[in-house]
Amino acid sequence: MNLYKYVSDSINEKLGFKANLETPKNRDFGDFSTNAAMVSAKTEGKNPRELAAQIAPKLQELDFVENVSIAGPGFINIKIKNDFILQNAVAPKQMIATKPLTIDMDYGAYNVAKSLHIGHLRTSIVGDTFNRITKFLGHKTFSWNHIGDWGKPMGLIIAWIERLHPELPYFQDDFDPKTPVDYEIDEKELNNYYPSASAFAKENSEFQARAQEIKAKFQAGHPGYFALYEKFLAISLRTMNNTVQRLNILPFDYDLGERNAAKYLEPVEQILRAKNMIYESDGAQVINVKRDTDTAPMPPYMWRDSRGADTYDSTDLAAVYCRKQVDNPDRIIYFTDLRQSLHFEQLFRAADMSGIYPYDKFEHIGYGTINGKDGKPFKTRDGNAAGLDDIIDIANEAVKARVAESGKKLDDETIKIIALAAVKFNDLLHDVKSDYIFEPSAITSFEGKTGPYILYTAVRLNSVLKRANGDFSKPHEYALTTEERSLLIEIMDFEKTLLSAYENRATDMIANYAYDLCQLTNNFYHNCPILRDDIPTDIKAGRLYIAKLAFDTLSTAIDLMGLKIPSEM
Ligand code: ARG
């Protein structure tokens, strides 16, 4: 049961108006409080305490109410009956949405032949958790890994391979795709091609021009470039797949990127032309997305660059068109770096103006940067910008060191699970928009607001349940202790938390909830012994029931964050 909703609905029905219901942090005076009397007193010109005294007895009639008290200038505190809490707390289960939506989510969005950077970490973690929450609430979602596979890097990489191996037949204009070519790309080398080519192009304008020419021909369907591209695409898809597994995120519904979207450029261009939306500017084809009300600069949206090539802008608009055809979503949500905000604002306007997709059904969730202690984007020890794998490796080392120090013996698999939890939980804990400082030793601590603490609590609960080896059925009667009561109320807040996390697009709420739940679980664990010999059977049964509910709730939260519970810690 969603306790808050139940109590709120019942009170509103009883009073015949909508009362504002609060949940005080300190529950000593009540589990809920309302300022209804104070609000009504103002509109009715009455004394708030007198009005509260009239409302209180009505609330006292509700069958779940233990007692009602009046405090301060007219606050009404409501305490819920223990038995009501015991009988109605349940473990979370897949929900049915009252108004189920179909939502396209664009996250991950890795690039072909370019190693994954630190920014890909946040889009993956936040996007995946948001996707899991949305599904849990009963909506239909489609995750799109909008792969970067059509732009400048492709031209540079192909040009680079041409420089290394000019003898390969791929570079001939009459290349026949059926020609067998004895050439394999080394996976490690491939990751270096783009940075090398990009650095070289900066100093060598001839090479730069060649890369641009190749890109344009590639987009126009040059068979040799395409055959080469297919080779490194296969490698990149494998790398992406490894990343998905390493991060324990759900597999994408679509691993289709810019190249796929490019197939829809033609119909989109027809729409744009019919509406006279494309005009020429400095040799490029652009769309004006400015509004009269704009105060900030709003540059035109680049439909085709001055060389006639497709752009990040055009393929993104075509991708919207494609998604509309394929999924017909009620909303499209993008998870990228905050720095892409302008691009998405332009995209949403262009889509809206062309009638392809309405502006107000788009959302861009822009996230901040992962920084080092110096406040600059996190770097590895050798001073290079950290990649996605570096972050996980660093966390792994930190967990290993901690475990060795504590004298624990944990296998490599367990260490990996803990390190990933450290990274992901810490990421989710921060408000998406804000930057945060990545401190490997702090996030891997087994105490405090950390992933390892969350897992540790779950492992401990699990081991109690395993040792008890009993049935965990609900007791008919059981006198709750304060700790048990607080824990059950928190469990009854799960649904409310999830709904707020979804409505506010705030994945930090689920991380904070998990932490609060763990705190209350540990309080319960310390103050209410379960399996000790001197504990009477009926109390043992009651506590086991509560421990099981806590475990089921915590493991659902853990699952929604894409973490795994190790078998020992
Ligand atoms: N591939 C881009 C990057 O790595 C992100 C793409 C985000 N999605 C989109 N539809 N533009 O930065």
Side-chain angles (χ1 to χ4, degrees):
M1 170 192 280
N2 178 342
L3 183 64
Y4 179 89
K5 185 171 175 346
Y6 185 86
V7 170
S8 175
D9 290 352
S10 311
I11 291 179
N12 292 344
E13 198 189 322
K14 188 80 185 169
L15 299 180
F17 62 86
K18 225 183 135 335
N20 181 19
L21 197 67
E22 300 275 338
T23 46
K25 263 262 165 259
N26 173 1
R27 292 202 142 116
D28 288 351
F29 304 104
D31 301 305
F32 298 96
S33 87
T34 174
N35 62 358
M38 290 144 81
V39 175
S40 306
K42 227 183 201 156
T43 50
E44 293 170 30
K46 286 187 184 156
N47 177 315
R49 269 196 84 97
E50 270 171 32
L51 203 59
Q54 287 167 22
I55 293 178
K58 286 196 204 161
L59 298 184
Q60 187 70 60
E61 286 168 20
L62 292 164
D63 60 0
F64 56 83
V65 171
E66 174 71 35
N67 67 53
V68 182
S69 58
I70 299 169
F75 282 109
I76 302 174
N77 293 318
I78 302 143
K79 194 151 190 112
I80 308 298
K81 279 185 183 152
N82 278 5
D83 196 52
F84 184 84
I85 291 169
L86 179 69
Q87 295 309 324
N88 291 291
V90 283
K93 58 173 195 309
Q94 169 70 43
M95 289 161 61
I96 298 162
T98 34
K99 262 200 232 142
L101 298 176
T102 300
I103 306 181
D104 274 5
M105 298 188 189
D106 181 312
Y107 58 88
Y110 313 127
N111 301 311
V112 163
K114 266 170 86 179
S115 47
L116 302 187
H117 57 75
I118 202 167
H120 290 124
L121 190 71
R122 296 203 80 183
T123 170
S124 306
I125 295 172
V126 172
D128 179 64
T129 289
F130 192 71
N131 187 10
R132 290 177 193 248
I133 291 175
T134 310
K135 280 182 192 293
F136 196 88
L137 293 174
H139 299 290
K140 180 137 199 66
T141 68
F142 293 103
S143 55
W144 288 78
N145 179 17
H146 185 76
I147 304 171
D149 56 1
W150 201 239
K152 188 171 126 205
M154 301 305 113
L156 281 168
I157 292 162
I158 298 171
W160 191 251
I161 299 177
E162 182 184 47
R163 229 183 130 249
L164 296 176
H165 306 284
E167 74 288 354
L168 288 173
Y170 297 118
F171 308 106
Q172 265 123 48
D173 284 342
D174 58 354
F175 175 80
D176 176 359
K178 284 189 230 82
T179 322
V181 186
D182 182 22
Y183 171 62
E184 284 313 320
I185 299 178
D186 181 88
E187 194 167 339
K188 277 218 179 71
E189 267 176 33
L190 176 62
N191 271 339
N192 292 327
Y193 285 177
Y194 176 69
S196 313
S198 158
F200 186 66
K202 283 200 182 95
E203 288 153 20
N204 187 318
S205 57
E206 213 173 296
F207 178 74
Q208 169 96 13
R210 178 67 186 144
Q212 272 157 352
E213 187 188 340
I214 287 179
K215 175 182 125 181
K217 280 188 169 179
F218 165 66
Q219 290 184 347
H222 186 286
Y225 299 162
F226 215 80
L228 201 50
Y229 157 87
E230 293 272 305
K231 270 190 186 292
F232 53 77
L233 175 68
I235 296 175
S236 294
L237 284 176
R238 228 181 304 139
T239 315
M240 287 179 211
N241 203 13
N242 289 340
T243 304
V244 165
Q245 283 183 4
R246 194 166 188 206
L247 290 178
N248 191 36
I249 63 173
L250 298 174
F252 288 99
D253 294 308
Y254 300 99
D255 282 301
L256 289 172
E258 297 163 350
R259 168 164 75 110
N260 171 68
K263 293 182 199 144
Y264 298 83
L265 285 167
E266 228 176 83
V268 173
E269 178 148 350
Q270 274 171 22
I271 295 171
L272 298 171
R273 296 246 179 244
K275 299 203 173 210
N276 264 326
M277 284 174 61
I278 300 179
Y279 70 96
E280 204 175 302
S281 167
D282 293 333
Q285 311 278 308
V286 302
I287 302 169
N288 178 13
V289 288
K290 232 176 147 87
R291 287 182 186 149
D292 293 343
T293 47
D294 284 338
T295 46
M298 183 52 65
Y301 200 55
M302 182 72 66
W303 179 252
R304 227 173 269 288
D305 70 16
S306 53
R307 286 190 179 74
D310 306 336
T311 62
Y312 187 58
D313 289 2
S314 60
T315 45
D316 246 340
L317 185 54
V320 173
Y321 180 86
C322 159
R323 291 169 197 184
K324 172 90 180 122
Q325 312 274 311
V326 179
D327 302 334
N328 193 21
D330 297 301
R331 303 202 74 82
I332 305 181
I333 309 182
Y334 298 83
F335 299 80
T336 79
D337 191 308
L338 258 178
R339 285 171 288 193
Q340 291 200 35
S341 300
L342 178 63
H343 164 75
F344 285 104
E345 180 60 27
Q346 292 176 300
L347 167 66
F348 302 166
R349 289 182 182 198
D352 190 64
M353 287 161 58
S354 55
I356 289 173
Y357 200 79
Y359 182 85
D360 57 359
K361 292 190 169 180
F362 280 115
E363 277 173 61
H364 174 228
I365 297 184
Y367 50 78
T369 317
I370 304 179
N371 290 330
K373 278 197 185 131
D374 58 359
K376 301 207 180 91
F378 188 83
K379 290 198 173 60
T380 55
R381 222 173 281 152
D382 56 16
N384 291 323
L388 187 149
D389 282 334
D390 293 324
I391 293 288
I392 302 180
D393 290 343
I394 290 168
N396 249 315
E397 288 313 311
V399 172
K400 228 181 231 166
R402 216 169 250 290
V403 168
E405 209 175 281
S406 71
K408 286 188 196 199
K409 290 233 162 358
L410 296 176
D411 59 33
D412 284 352
E413 192 47 35
T414 305
I415 287 178
K416 273 188 202 156
I417 293 176
I418 299 171
L420 185 65
V423 170
K424 291 180 83 170
F425 182 79
N426 179 57
D427 192 288
L428 290 168
L429 199 55
H430 290 89
D431 170 33
V432 179
K433 288 183 288 299
S434 60
D435 299 346
Y436 70 78
I437 292 175
F438 178 74
E439 261 188 273
S441 73
I443 64 166
T444 53
S445 166
F446 279 39
E447 280 153 40
K449 246 183 178 174
T450 66
Y453 171 72
I454 305 291
L455 295 190
Y456 187 69
T457 308
V459 167
R460 189 145 83 171
L461 267 181
N462 201 16
S463 104
V464 170
L465 297 176
K466 272 199 205 131
R467 267 187 291 142
N469 193 20
D471 83 292
F472 306 112
S473 52
K474 188 191 294 180
H476 291 297
E477 252 173 70
Y478 178 74
L480 294 176
T481 64
T482 321
E483 292 83 11
E484 291 165 342
R485 189 177 191 283
S486 303
L487 177 56
L488 288 177
I489 290 180
E490 185 72 20
I491 290 171
M492 294 170 101
D493 258 351
F494 180 84
E495 193 179 314
K496 173 175 171 252
T497 307
L498 220 56
L499 284 165
S500 307
Y502 168 75
E503 276 154 21
N504 296 295
R505 314 300 193 226
T507 37
D508 53 314
M509 286 186 178
I510 180 84
N512 278 298
Y513 175 82
Y515 176 71
D516 291 344
L517 184 65
C518 286
Q519 291 281 75
L520 292 166
T521 296
N522 287 318
N523 264 347
F524 158 68
Y525 185 85
H526 288 301
N527 293 298
C528 312
I530 307 175
L531 298 179
R532 223 168 58 191
D533 289 344
D534 59 335
I535 303 296
T537 327
D538 53 337
I539 294 186
K540 189 181 279 179
R543 290 186 177 163
L544 276 176
Y545 172 70
I546 294 167
K548 175 80 167 90
L549 275 189
F551 179 75
D552 288 346
T553 309
L554 182 56
S555 57
T556 306
I558 286 176
D559 189 54
L560 291 172
M561 293 188 284
L563 317 182
K564 287 189 246 178
I565 303 174
S567 48
E568 57 163 351
M569 244 176 109

